[in-house]
Amino acid sequence: VIWKGNLAPLRSALGALLPDSDGYAGNAINFYHQSWWSRDYQAAAETVERSTTEDWIDRSNVILPARLYLAWAYEALGERAKASALYTGLKDRAQTALVEQGDDPNHNLALAFADAGLGFGQDAVREGQKVAALMPVSVDALSGPAYLVFLAQLDVRLGDDNSALDQLAQL
């Protein structure tokens, strides 16, 4: 998918998994992406709602709450009230984790997206800057670029396309 934009191999691989298997459950994020990239936001939301995993790890080891993906699906479906309720819970969860554990790029990123979803743009930018400082590409060649991609997505959500392009230019 990433190389050629072809969803067929992903559909085939996911279709081979048995619904009650560990492999099926462990691929919830991939089922979500398949639905999202197909613009089937209802199926994306249902994937999260069925998932029993609280946090999803992407292919670059970025860990975000599954409920964040659900908030994005609800937004895409036009269900803003449901998304806002999720963002509020995500913000509380991330703030608690940051108090208990200190700065962490995953918690800071989740908080940035929650703030953006709630309309707190300056707070979202501040948390995004922390993420960039905590996990630069020079420190982690696998996760560092993935955080830049997420930060570009954050910038787009905040309406700052120029900053998003700057993030992508670093890649």
Side-chain angles (χ1 to χ4, degrees):
V1 174
I2 295 168
W3 181 34
K4 295 184 178 183
N6 181 359
L7 291 173
L10 178 61
R11 280 191 191 104
S12 177
L14 293 175
L17 297 173
L18 298 174
D20 293 333
S21 69
D22 289 340
Y24 191 93
N27 275 285
I29 192 170
N30 294 315
F31 282 104
Y32 176 91
H33 285 307
Q34 173 189 303
S35 298
W36 184 267
W37 292 329
S38 299
R39 293 183 174 84
D40 186 349
Y41 305 120
Q42 185 62 46
E46 290 169 1
T47 296
V48 184
E49 291 165 347
R50 282 191 312 267
S51 176
T52 58
T53 306
E54 190 171 334
D55 295 311
W56 285 358
I57 303 171
D58 78 356
R59 66 191 167 281
S60 298
N61 294 326
V62 175
I63 303 169
L64 290 172
R67 310 234 5 116
L68 178 60
Y69 292 90
L70 182 57
W72 292 337
Y74 282 156
E75 279 187 329
L77 289 167
E79 297 184 30
R80 185 71 190 136
K82 286 183 177 181
S84 291
L86 286 167
Y87 286 131
T88 299
L90 289 163
K91 181 178 175 84
D92 293 343
R93 178 181 181 231
Q95 286 176 322
T96 299
L98 288 167
V99 167
E100 292 174 356
Q101 302 169 17
D103 279 335
D104 172 272
N106 297 307
H107 296 308
N108 289 99
L109 186 60
L111 180 55
F113 277 116
D115 282 336
L118 293 169
F120 304 128
Q122 290 179 338
D123 294 338
V125 168
R126 184 183 66 249
E127 293 304 321
Q129 289 169 342
K130 287 181 186 177
V131 171
L134 289 166
M135 191 57 68
V137 175
S138 62
V139 171
D140 188 326
L142 175 65
S143 299
Y147 284 107
L148 287 179
V149 171
F150 276 111
L151 292 175
Q153 291 173 3
L154 177 67
D155 288 334
V156 168
R157 287 183 169 276
L158 295 171
D160 192 348
D161 295 343
N162 289 331
S163 182
L165 291 172
D166 290 343
Q167 299 286 359
L168 296 176
Q170 293 181 54
L171 295 172

